[in-house]
Amino acid sequence: VSDQVYEVLFVPGGQTASVPSGELLTNAALAAGVPLVAPCGGRGRCSKCRVVVEEGECSPPTEVEQGLLSSDELARGIRLACQTAVRGPLRVYVEPQAEVVGKKPLEAQLLADLVPGPAVRRVAVELPPPTLSDQRSDFRRLQDVTAESLGLAEADLAALRALPQAVRVGQWTVSATACEGRLVAVAAGSNGAHPLGAAVDIGTTTVVGYVVDLVTGEQVGSGAAVNPQGQHGADVISRTEYANSNPDGLLQLQREAAGVINQVLNQALASCRGCHEQLLEVVVVGNTCMQHLALGLAPRYLAEAPYVPVTAELTVVDAGELGVAMAGSGRVVMLPSIAGYVGADTVGVILATRMTERHEPVLAIDIGTNGEVALWDGARLWCASCAAGPAFEGAQIEHGMRAAPGAIERISLDDGDLSVATIGDQPAAGICGSGLFDGLAVMLETGLVDAMGRLAPPEQLGELPGALGNRLAGADHQRQVVLVSAGESANGQAVCLTQKDVREVQLAKGAVRAAIEILLKEAGLQVRDLAEVLIAGAFGSYIQPASALRMGLLPAVAVEVIRGVGNAAGAGAMMALLSMDERQRACQIARQAEHVELAQRADFQQMFMETMLFM
Amino acid sequence: VSDQVYEVLFVPGGQTASVPSGELLTNAALAAGVPLVAPCGGRGRCSKCRVVVEEGECSPPTEVEQGLLSSDELARGIRLACQTAVRGPLRVYVEPQAEVVGKKPLEAQLLADLVPGPAVRRVAVELPPPTLSDQRSDFRRLQDVTAESLGLAEADLAALRALPQAVRVGQWTVSATACEGRLVAVAAGSNGAHPLGAAVDIGTTTVVGYVVDLVTGEQVGSGAAVNPQGQHGADVISRTEYANSNPDGLLQLQREAAGVINQVLNQALASCRGCHEQLLEVVVVGNTCMQHLALGLAPRYLAEAPYVPVTAELTVVDAGELGVAMAGSGRVVMLPSIAGYVGADTVGVILATRMTERHEPVLAIDIGTNGEVALWDGARLWCASCAAGPAFEGAQIEHGMRAAPGAIERISLDDGDLSVATIGDQPAAGICGSGLFDGLAVMLETGLVDAMGRLAPPEQLGELPGALGNRLAGADHQRQVVLVSAGESANGQAVCLTQKDVREVQLAKGAVRAAIEILLKEAGLQVRDLAEVLIAGAFGSYIQPASALRMGLLPAVAVEVIRGVGNAAGAGAMMALLSMDERQRACQIARQAEHVELAQRADFQQMFMETMLFM
């Protein structure tokens, strides 16, 4: 490792990063703002951070890579970014991923009719110069002129210290920035930099951030990074255990949360040439545990009955207290949550979809490792959460992967056999959530799997068309359906769906469906009463509504009422950033929501037993 | 200088300080909480920090001391504290000074009927433990139970972090401390330490602080120290120049202000065994320049026409931002000021005297280097300031000194000659403000000085009683009145009042009186309309009302309407600390006051020419 700094060019996006010799490609990608997801946290286990080093010098393949990549792949320059260090100027190909950065049409739609009115406002004003008969203080003078626009009640010390020079250098024309009636910045003249804000969604796996110009209301930058807390466990329970059982565990998790927020904000600011001094407010959503960890609040009692958060209220903290790099007066706003397992992300979904402004019943579900369900009956709001497990995200699934090029995303029945389509028409490397759903739906239809979730045993092969029967292999618990043969796959390995995979999906969809049924029961509603069923999250953007219905994830609504709403949690954070009215509404939603604790319900287990089945 | 630490015992007060060998006695006195005023800032010029080293080893007399003290004095152990270093355990006599520490009856009276209602409140409550059917967060649970008593709307991060353990260790009994609806501290159980607050009066010369138990409302400690900014000049103008002309001047002055506030608070906390973690709010008054310097706000534009402050509003700052040692969530509250030369100290006087709650006209004056005058007519409030100069504090007066033992405090006519009385009946060492007033009153009566302020010239000696005539010495501008002969004085030097001294007093009293007259004119009031004339500050506690009238400092009111109110500014700060209603009232006073800028008045100079005379 020398002191040399090299430029890494990422194609086809064209992003670049200058990094010191010896830096890993994963870090170079983060620095360049290239989304590169490494679910294993860079430990060289998941082989999902594959890139192609097209030109330039890098470190030789590690033992880990030699184990996970074929010699042919290595010869073609394929490397794992988490194992590869920069040794000179590089040109690196990264397969374009399902877009996790930037607003997607679904969210853009949610934000379309937002009336801006952020906490942070900036105006340029001309002040009447003082005279012996008008000796108002500099601050009072500014207060009086901006009474309507800023409503200044107080001032940050730094802004007060800058004020006398700013007004005089600007010859009594000054730009003033206020946050909720507090003067936070002043600059001479009328042409200062605009204040920026950010909306951040801290996921258990991925952290995404958007930067917004708070004067124009426009999104100007974005960034994404893997949550480094993943190294202590993929889910909230294992991270809670880490916090509980290590003396500095909570502190470490808090620092990691702040670190990844900083990474995402750095990327987002770099993408719009903004600077930290402009960044005045960050609105954060996430599940209750992620918010606790980001604040450094012990998650211990979230994980133990009766699952009580330290706070579920909207919480405003000085950025400096959290270690988030912003302007000196910058602050982090945690949106409120509803319960220990129904977090601010769900509040964001409810806010962004405006479901509680409807006069008819609406159901919203957000499925990740944890599944959250919200039901609005036109007057009251119920919420519940269930442990869906990570199956829908492709984890715990033998050949599961995230929705990236090469993932099987669609499976249909074509001429008596299964037909698969992959993202980007690449050779199949695995199966993602939507492919899993399609596959199971088709397998149910054809009898490859029965209503109990059993893959057809050898003695039933005669009842299946030959092409389908040929896809079945193994016995009992080892039984599996071959989707793509070893010869046709990306890596010489067959892509299969196993009996265990089916069981994982059953557990996951059963839990979500049971939660839905309990809420419907609680609200005294029938399935036919639902005017709309909203599916939030990346998952909702990809699955086919018909497959979700066939699988029994959703109750039997008409397929037309099912609508994917994309990253509605992030959109909700953005709305709360851009409008104090919406922020207020988020607090109302959190207070209004009636949390149904499924763990307490005698009827939940019974329901779950039923909803696990495919019927 | 060794690493040895020695105890210094101060008598007759009995205070002690443990200081390292080599420490100056001035610092030992500060550490011990012994008020010891050194107007020259410890540069060995004023010789006013005299002490008697009764026992123990200290450094030998410096050249400065050999110049300022006689060999007889040195032989008796008299030393200048600012020149004397500790070399072993010491017993040091410090003449008891006019009490600057602790509430005096005058202020106690002002605070007598205060209804407590501070910003910082603490309650001990029992919370209902959470269950699966009551999953409110820890914070919400606390909010709900303390809705009436604390009205919690938000929480400090540190308090939130401590909350889950506090409620569970205390088995759902918890002590919660809030500052204006913000949770700032929690502790398990009901028996935590009480929160403390402090009121600080930052004088140009002296800083005084009182510590109060915010639960009981009782004053529990106090401290005082010399403002170390004095080393950059005795008055606000020279300090402003220092801030203007040195690159880090303002920063340095801010640090000195924070340092002396810390000194005073350390003393006050030590005197009640309080700790910094308990100290949650400090309310500060001072003149506008002192407040600017304490906040690190440039005082430049206070000193230049049109004399505009950066801010005159109530300003709340995190203690950490100022470098004031308090609890992590501690904050410093600067009371509002009225104008560049009518500060929060005047607001404190108006607040504490409740003059604006009267239905009849009241005049208040506060005289220091700067004189502030406030006039209430029963409905409107006018304020003005004038440069009184330091004459009334004994500075710029040939043998002037502060009100300390040996100071001539009373002068009367006895059997055709002047008769003097000193504080503590000590041999006369100088003359303090009240003595100055008495002396001039008597001299005016006897013809020793005429209405123009001229000491009787030699040719008029025949008209004076012999005893008086003999007291006159010198010619023209060198003319002086000998009050105490060299043989009878404390230091072998005659104590005199010089022609120049008379001129200084004329300038000072003329300015104050002219300000009073302008305000009366502004309000359309006659002198006879005044129901009361309040004199704030130490000065007001010592002068004889009749002398102030004879001198023409005050207009011709009946002597009975004149009332000294002591350190009313400090009392006002205490009231604003103990009651949010009073704090609100302070803001109303500052907003309501109509500042009359004398520099702008054509009639002021004319009035001043007249009021300088003794008639």
Side-chain angles (χ1 to χ4, degrees):
Chain A
V1 179
S2 76
D3 288 345
Q4 199 70 39
V5 169
Y6 297 115
E7 188 173 78
V8 181
L9 167 66
F10 291 93
V11 291
Q15 304 97 324
T16 60
S18 294
V19 297
S21 176
E23 192 64 82
L24 289 175
L25 280 182
T26 34
N27 293 330
L30 279 176
V34 175
L36 187 68
V37 176
C40 74
R43 286 172 301 176
R45 297 195 185 160
C46 68
S47 78
K48 287 175 182 171
C49 60
R50 288 172 178 228
V51 297
V52 185
V53 176
E54 297 189 341
E55 279 177 31
E57 192 189 345
C58 55
S59 59
T62 63
E63 277 187 30
V64 167
E65 286 176 294
Q66 285 166 356
L68 288 167
L69 300 172
S70 67
S71 53
D72 180 47
E73 285 174 325
L74 287 169
R76 279 153 52 203
I78 294 179
R79 300 292 302 271
L80 300 184
C82 71
Q83 301 290 314
T84 310
V86 175
R87 290 277 167 85
L90 288 178
R91 175 184 161 101
V92 178
Y93 176 81
V94 178
E95 287 195 85
Q97 302 202 355
E99 184 64 66
V100 294
V101 177
K103 275 192 300 185
K104 279 168 284 184
L106 288 174
E107 294 111 41
Q109 214 170 308
L110 297 174
L111 288 164
D113 56 351
L114 185 75
V115 180
V120 175
R121 294 163 188 227
R122 174 187 178 276
V123 295
V125 288
E126 200 177 327
L127 307 178
T131 63
L132 280 175
S133 42
D134 172 10
Q135 296 180 310
R136 282 175 297 169
S137 70
D138 295 342
F139 181 57
R140 178 73 184 279
R141 199 170 295 279
L142 181 64
Q143 275 184 310
D144 288 348
V145 169
T146 61
E148 296 274 309
S149 54
L150 300 181
L152 293 176
E154 45 187 6
D156 273 355
L157 190 54
L160 280 180
R161 285 176 176 171
L163 185 58
Q165 278 309 100
V167 293
R168 286 167 183 85
V169 168
Q171 294 183 301
W172 303 98
T173 293
V174 68
S175 303
T177 305
C179 180
E180 287 194 271
R182 184 171 187 85
L183 181 70
V184 295
V186 288
S190 56
N191 299 318
H194 285 191
L196 301 176
V200 172
D201 182 2
I202 314 188
T204 309
T205 308
T206 310
V207 179
V208 185
Y210 310 101
V211 166
V212 173
D213 180 321
L214 290 173
V215 173
T216 65
E218 277 169 29
Q219 184 190 315
V220 292
S222 60
V226 171
N227 190 334
Q229 292 173 345
Q231 67 191 287
H232 313 297
D235 53 30
V236 300
I237 298 299
S238 48
R239 293 191 205 166
T240 298
E241 275 164 13
Y242 186 83
N244 292 350
S245 55
N246 291 279
D248 287 331
L250 177 57
L251 181 64
Q252 192 181 347
L253 289 162
Q254 196 282 326
R255 287 197 181 141
E256 286 168 359
V260 71
I261 292 172
N262 284 334
Q263 267 185 11
V264 166
L265 295 178
N266 285 349
Q267 281 178 30
L269 288 171
S271 69
C272 63
R273 294 166 189 267
C275 67
H276 289 96
E277 267 313 301
Q278 288 173 266
L279 187 60
L280 287 168
E281 192 170 64
V282 175
V283 172
V284 175
V285 294
N287 64 52
T288 310
C289 183
M290 287 306 111
Q291 286 197 311
H292 272 58
L293 296 180
L295 289 172
L297 301 179
R300 176 189 291 267
Y301 305 104
L302 290 177
E304 298 172 4
Y307 316 114
V308 173
V310 177
T311 183
E313 308 300 305
L314 181 134
T315 302
V316 182
V317 181
D318 288 343
E321 277 196 277
L322 296 183
V324 173
M326 296 175 67
S329 58
R331 58 186 211 167
V332 175
V333 177
M334 292 280 168
L335 284 195
S337 52
I338 293 170
Y341 289 92
V342 185
D345 44 5
T346 301
V347 172
V349 169
I350 297 168
L351 178 70
T353 59
R354 300 196 183 284
M355 59 188 274
T356 57
E357 293 169 33
R358 307 274 288 269
H359 297 290
E360 51 208 353
V362 179
L363 178 74
I365 66 175
D366 189 355
I367 300 177
T369 306
N370 204 48
E372 289 103 30
V373 181
L375 176 64
W376 171 248
D377 73 352
R380 289 171 72 183
L381 178 65
W382 287 268
C383 293
S385 70
C386 56
F392 295 152
E393 291 177 327
Q396 308 283 352
I397 298 296
E398 185 80 24
H399 295 106
M401 66 181 285
R402 36 167 291 130
I408 298 174
E409 59 166 350
R410 293 278 173 265
I411 302 179
S412 52
L413 199 62
D414 183 16
D415 200 14
D417 193 8
L418 300 181
S419 163
V420 308
T422 63
I423 297 179
D425 277 332
Q426 303 288 307
I431 183 164
C432 68
S434 59
L436 200 58
F437 267 49
D438 275 7
L440 269 166
V442 169
M443 285 157 63
L444 280 164
E445 255 166 63
T446 56
L448 269 176
V449 65
D450 69 11
M452 306 299 285
R454 281 178 306 212
L455 289 186
E459 60 272 21
Q460 284 176 17
L461 283 187
E463 299 162 27
L464 292 168
L468 284 182
N470 290 339
R471 290 187 177 267
L472 278 162
D476 299 333
H477 295 302
Q478 306 299 321
R479 204 140 176 82
Q480 55 187 27
V481 176
V482 180
L483 300 175
V484 174
S485 67
E488 290 168 338
S489 79
N491 50 16
Q493 266 194 299
V495 180
C496 305
L497 255 178
T498 69
Q499 179 64 66
K500 185 176 156 292
D501 293 344
V502 176
R503 296 298 180 209
E504 290 284 344
V505 173
Q506 282 184 281
L507 288 170
K509 74 103 188 178
V512 173
R513 175 69 181 278
I516 294 172
E517 294 297 333
I518 295 283
L519 287 197
L520 284 169
K521 189 173 160 190
E522 192 70 13
L525 289 177
Q526 304 298 319
V527 172
R528 63 173 177 273
D529 297 328
L530 293 173
E532 202 161 37
V533 174
L534 306 172
I535 306 182
F539 185 71
S541 313
Y542 298 119
I543 60 166
Q544 302 228 65
S547 297
L549 285 173
R550 178 62 195 88
M551 285 259 302
L553 174 75
L554 301 180
V557 293
V559 73
E560 300 78 32
V561 307
I562 301 173
R563 179 160 70 100
V565 289
N567 181 8
M574 185 85 90
M575 286 166 74
L577 171 67
L578 284 170
S579 158
M580 287 304 281
D581 288 345
E582 298 295 347
R583 193 176 300 181
Q584 190 52 43
R585 206 161 286 143
C587 295
Q588 283 164 5
I589 288 168
R591 285 246 166 176
Q592 175 184 14
E594 302 175 45
H595 179 241
V596 177
E597 177 56 60
L598 297 180
Q600 197 198 12
R601 303 281 301 215
D603 50 357
F604 178 72
Q605 288 306 327
Q606 180 58 36
M607 188 70 80
F608 184 37
M609 296 306 292
E610 292 169 19
T611 53
M612 273 197 298
L613 306 180
F614 291 114
M615 47 181 154
Chain B
V1 177
S2 76
D3 288 345
Q4 199 69 42
V5 170
Y6 297 114
E7 187 173 79
V8 182
L9 166 67
F10 291 93
V11 291
Q15 304 95 325
T16 60
S18 293
V19 297
S21 177
E23 193 64 83
L24 288 176
L25 280 182
T26 35
N27 293 330
L30 280 175
V34 175
L36 187 68
V37 177
C40 73
R43 288 174 300 177
R45 294 193 186 162
C46 69
S47 77
K48 286 177 182 172
C49 61
R50 287 172 180 226
V51 297
V52 185
V53 176
E54 296 188 341
E55 278 176 32
E57 193 190 344
C58 55
S59 58
T62 64
E63 276 187 32
V64 167
E65 287 176 292
Q66 284 165 356
L68 287 167
L69 301 171
S70 66
S71 53
D72 181 47
E73 285 173 327
L74 288 169
R76 279 156 49 205
I78 295 178
R79 300 291 301 269
L80 300 185
C82 71
Q83 302 290 312
T84 309
V86 174
R87 291 277 167 83
L90 287 179
R91 177 186 161 101
V92 177
Y93 177 82
V94 179
E95 289 196 83
Q97 302 200 356
E99 185 64 66
V100 294
V101 177
K103 276 192 299 187
K104 279 169 284 185
L106 288 173
E107 293 113 40
Q109 214 169 309
L110 298 173
L111 287 164
D113 56 351
L114 185 74
V115 180
V120 176
R121 293 165 189 224
R122 173 187 179 276
V123 295
V125 289
E126 200 176 328
L127 307 178
T131 65
L132 280 176
S133 42
D134 173 9
Q135 295 180 311
R136 284 175 295 169
S137 70
D138 295 342
F139 181 57
R140 177 73 185 279
R141 200 168 294 278
L142 182 63
Q143 275 185 309
D144 289 346
V145 169
T146 60
E148 297 273 308
S149 53
L150 300 180
L152 294 176
E154 46 188 6
D156 273 355
L157 190 54
L160 280 181
R161 286 176 175 171
L163 185 57
Q165 278 310 98
V167 293
R168 286 169 183 84
V169 167
Q171 293 181 303
W172 304 97
T173 294
V174 67
S175 304
T177 306
C179 180
E180 288 195 271
R182 183 172 188 83
L183 181 70
V184 295
V186 287
S190 57
N191 299 316
H194 285 192
L196 301 176
V200 172
D201 181 2
I202 314 188
T204 310
T205 308
T206 309
V207 179
V208 185
Y210 311 100
V211 166
V212 174
D213 180 320
L214 290 173
V215 174
T216 65
E218 276 169 30
Q219 184 190 315
V220 291
S222 61
V226 172
N227 190 333
Q229 293 173 342
Q231 64 190 288
H232 313 297
D235 53 32
V236 299
I237 297 300
S238 48
R239 292 187 207 169
T240 298
E241 276 164 12
Y242 185 83
N244 292 350
S245 55
N246 291 277
D248 287 331
L250 177 56
L251 181 65
Q252 192 180 349
L253 289 163
Q254 197 282 325
R255 288 196 180 143
E256 286 168 358
V260 71
I261 291 172
N262 283 335
Q263 268 185 9
V264 166
L265 295 178
N266 285 349
Q267 281 179 31
L269 287 171
S271 70
C272 63
R273 294 165 188 266
C275 68
H276 289 96
E277 268 312 302
Q278 289 173 266
L279 188 60
L280 287 167
E281 192 170 65
V282 175
V283 172
V284 175
V285 295
N287 65 53
T288 310
C289 182
M290 286 307 109
Q291 286 197 310
H292 273 56
L293 295 179
L295 289 172
L297 302 178
R300 177 188 291 267
Y301 306 104
L302 290 176
E304 298 171 4
Y307 316 114
V308 173
V310 177
T311 183
E313 308 300 306
L314 181 132
T315 302
V316 181
V317 181
D318 288 343
E321 279 197 276
L322 297 182
V324 172
M326 295 174 68
S329 57
R331 57 187 212 168
V332 175
V333 177
M334 292 279 170
L335 284 194
S337 52
I338 293 169
Y341 289 93
V342 186
D345 44 3
T346 302
V347 171
V349 169
I350 297 167
L351 178 70
T353 59
R354 301 197 181 284
M355 58 188 276
T356 58
E357 293 169 32
R358 306 275 289 267
H359 297 289
E360 51 206 353
V362 179
L363 178 75
I365 66 175
D366 189 355
I367 300 177
T369 306
N370 203 51
E372 289 103 30
V373 181
L375 177 64
W376 170 250
D377 75 351
R380 289 171 69 183
L381 178 66
W382 288 267
C383 293
S385 69
C386 56
F392 294 153
E393 291 178 326
Q396 308 283 354
I397 298 295
E398 185 80 24
H399 295 106
M401 66 182 282
R402 36 168 294 131
I408 297 173
E409 59 165 350
R410 293 278 174 266
I411 302 179
S412 53
L413 200 61
D414 182 17
D415 201 15
D417 193 7
L418 300 182
S419 162
V420 307
T422 64
I423 297 178
D425 278 331
Q426 303 286 306
I431 184 165
C432 68
S434 59
L436 200 59
F437 267 48
D438 274 7
L440 270 165
V442 169
M443 285 156 63
L444 281 164
E445 254 166 63
T446 56
L448 268 177
V449 65
D450 68 12
M452 307 299 286
R454 281 178 307 212
L455 290 186
E459 61 272 22
Q460 286 177 13
L461 283 187
E463 300 163 27
L464 291 168
L468 285 181
N470 290 341
R471 290 185 177 269
L472 280 163
D476 300 333
H477 295 301
Q478 307 300 321
R479 204 139 175 82
Q480 56 187 27
V481 175
V482 179
L483 299 175
V484 173
S485 67
E488 291 167 338
S489 80
N491 51 15
Q493 265 194 300
V495 180
C496 305
L497 255 178
T498 69
Q499 179 64 65
K500 185 176 155 294
D501 292 343
V502 176
R503 296 299 182 209
E504 290 284 348
V505 173
Q506 281 183 284
L507 288 168
K509 74 102 187 180
V512 173
R513 175 67 181 277
I516 293 171
E517 295 295 333
I518 295 283
L519 288 197
L520 284 169
K521 188 174 159 186
E522 194 68 16
L525 289 177
Q526 305 298 318
V527 172
R528 63 172 177 274
D529 297 328
L530 293 173
E532 202 160 36
V533 175
L534 306 172
I535 305 181
F539 185 72
S541 314
Y542 297 119
I543 59 166
Q544 303 228 64
S547 296
L549 286 173
R550 178 62 195 89
M551 285 259 302
L553 173 76
L554 301 180
V557 293
V559 72
E560 300 79 31
V561 307
I562 301 172
R563 180 161 71 100
V565 289
N567 181 8
M574 184 84 89
M575 286 167 73
L577 171 68
L578 284 171
S579 159
M580 287 303 281
D581 288 343
E582 298 295 346
R583 194 177 299 181
Q584 192 51 42
R585 206 161 284 141
C587 294
Q588 283 164 4
I589 288 167
R591 285 248 165 172
Q592 172 184 18
E594 302 174 45
H595 180 240
V596 178
E597 177 55 63
L598 298 179
Q600 195 198 13
R601 302 282 300 216
D603 49 357
F604 178 72
Q605 288 305 326
Q606 179 59 34
M607 188 71 80
F608 185 36
M609 297 307 292
E610 291 170 19
T611 54
M612 274 198 296
L613 306 182
F614 293 114
M615 48 179 149

